[in-house]
C-alpha cells in the first residue's frame, strides 16, 4: 500500500514540475525534493525520469481502454483520451518539445489505434469485409487522428478538441461502414471470378 502511495506521489509531483518547466530542466533531485523522499527511494521505483513519463502514458492508455465500451462512440473515447492533455497542457507541450516526443507520439498512436480498431470491429458487424481490410481502414484513421492531435499540440492546443473531434465524426459518419461494405463487395466479386 505504501509503495503504491509513494509511486503515486512521485508521478503527481513529476507532472506538477513538468507543468512548470521543460523536461530537460527536471532532475531526479527536483522530484525527490518535491516528494520529500531521497534519491534512492526514487530509484527504487523508477530507473529514470523517462520511466515515469512512460508509465504515465501507459496508465492514460489503460484508462482509455477501460472506459471504451459499446456505449461510447469513437469520438467519446477520443475525448476521454484528450482529458489528460487538457488538464496538463503545459506538461504535454514540454514533452512534445523534448527529446522524449516519441513517448507522446507512441501514446497517441496507441490510443488512436485502440479506439479505431474497436470501432471498425463494431461497425463491421454483419459486413463480410476481410480482416485485412478492417485493419487497413482502422490503420488509416489511426494515422490520421494521431497526426491531427500532434498538429493540435504543436499549435498550442488552442482549439477545443471536443468540437474538432465531433466535427470529424460528423464529416466521416457512415464512411467507415461504406468502406467496409465496398470491401465486402470487392471480396465477393473476386471470389466469383
Amino acid at each position: 500500500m505504501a509503495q503504491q502511495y509513494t509511486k503515486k506521489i512521485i508521478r503527481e509531483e513529476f507532472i506538477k514540475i513538468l507543468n512548470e518547466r521543460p523536461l530537460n530542466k527536471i532532475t531526479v533531485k527536483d522530484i525527490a525534493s518535491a516528494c520529500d523522499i531521497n534519491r534512492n527511494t526514487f530509484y527504487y521505483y523508477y530507473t529514470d525520469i523517462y520511466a515515469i513519463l512512460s508509465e504515465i502514458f501507459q496508465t492514460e492508455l489503460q484508462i482509455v481502454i477501460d472506459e471504451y465500451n459499446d456505449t461510447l462512440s469513437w469520438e467519446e473515447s477520443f475525448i476521454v483520451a484528450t482529458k489528460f492533455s487538457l488538464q496538463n497542457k503545459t506538461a504535454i507541450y514540454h514533452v512534445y518539445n523534448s527529446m522524449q516526443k516519441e513517448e507522446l507520439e507512441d501514446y497517441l498512436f496507441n490510443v488512436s489505434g485502440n479506439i479505431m480498431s474497436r470501432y471498425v470491429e463494431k461497425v463491421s458487424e454483419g459486413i463480410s469485409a476481410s480482416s485485412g481490410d478492417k485493419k487497413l481502414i482502422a490503420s488509416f484513421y489511426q494515422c490520421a487522428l494521431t497526426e491531427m492531435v500532434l498538429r493540435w499540440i504543436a499549435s498550442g492546443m488552442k482549439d477545443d478538441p471536443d468540437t474538432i473531434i465531433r466535427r470529424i465524426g460528423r464529416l466521416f459518419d457512415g464512411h467507415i461502414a461504406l468502406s467496409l461494405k465496398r470491401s465486402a463487395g470487392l471480396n465477393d466479386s473476386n471470389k466469383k471470378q
Side-chain angles (χ1 to χ4, degrees):
M1 185 77 163
Q3 289 182 340
Q4 290 302 325
Y5 175 77
T6 303
K7 282 185 82 167
K8 181 178 182 262
I9 295 298
I10 292 171
R11 284 191 310 264
E12 288 173 357
E13 290 301 321
F14 171 70
I15 292 169
K16 281 182 192 173
I17 296 169
L18 189 56
N19 271 303
E20 295 169 1
R21 58 186 125 140
L23 186 60
N24 66 348
K25 302 289 185 197
I26 301 172
T27 65
V28 169
K29 184 178 176 184
D30 296 333
I31 298 167
S33 176
C35 296
D36 201 26
I37 60 173
N38 63 44
R39 289 168 46 105
N40 288 339
T41 302
F42 174 90
Y43 287 117
Y44 177 78
Y45 295 103
Y46 298 101
T47 54
D48 56 25
I49 290 173
Y50 309 116
I52 302 173
L53 189 60
S54 180
E55 183 178 287
I56 288 168
F57 286 133
Q58 289 302 315
T59 302
E60 291 302 313
L61 175 60
Q62 194 58 51
I63 289 169
V64 173
I65 290 169
D66 292 346
E67 288 193 24
Y68 185 98
N69 58 50
D70 291 336
T71 61
L72 289 180
S73 64
W74 76 265
E75 296 96 334
E76 294 294 330
S77 297
F78 216 75
I79 290 166
V80 167
T82 61
K83 190 169 125 180
F84 177 79
S85 297
L86 290 173
Q87 292 171 341
N88 297 285
K89 279 185 175 184
T90 305
I92 293 297
Y93 197 68
H94 284 154
V95 173
Y96 179 81
N97 287 310
S98 76
M99 297 296 282
Q100 294 308 114
K101 180 180 178 179
E102 228 174 81
E103 285 284 339
L104 178 61
E105 290 171 344
D106 287 346
Y107 163 71
L108 294 171
F109 192 73
N110 290 331
V111 166
S112 300
N114 184 278
I115 289 170
M116 292 316 300
S117 293
R118 287 181 177 200
Y119 182 71
V120 168
E121 278 303 319
K122 184 176 162 185
V123 169
S124 69
E125 290 174 6
I127 301 172
S128 61
S130 72
S131 62
D133 285 348
K134 290 178 194 177
K135 287 179 185 174
L136 185 62
I137 290 167
S139 179
F140 174 81
Y141 286 104
Q142 174 186 21
C143 293
L145 290 171
T146 301
E147 186 59 29
M148 286 194 70
V149 173
L150 287 171
R151 290 189 179 276
W152 172 69
I153 292 169
S155 69
M157 297 178 267
K158 294 175 186 119
D159 298 326
D160 176 32
D162 187 69
T163 304
I164 296 167
I165 291 165
R166 290 184 194 286
R167 178 97 173 126
I168 292 168
R170 283 192 300 277
L171 290 171
F172 72 67
D173 189 33
H175 291 284
I176 291 175
L178 181 61
S179 296
L180 290 166
K181 287 176 185 173
R182 285 184 180 153
S183 164
L186 288 173
N187 291 337
D188 291 342
S189 59
N190 286 338
K191 288 178 188 175
K192 289 176 187 176
Q193 292 178 355

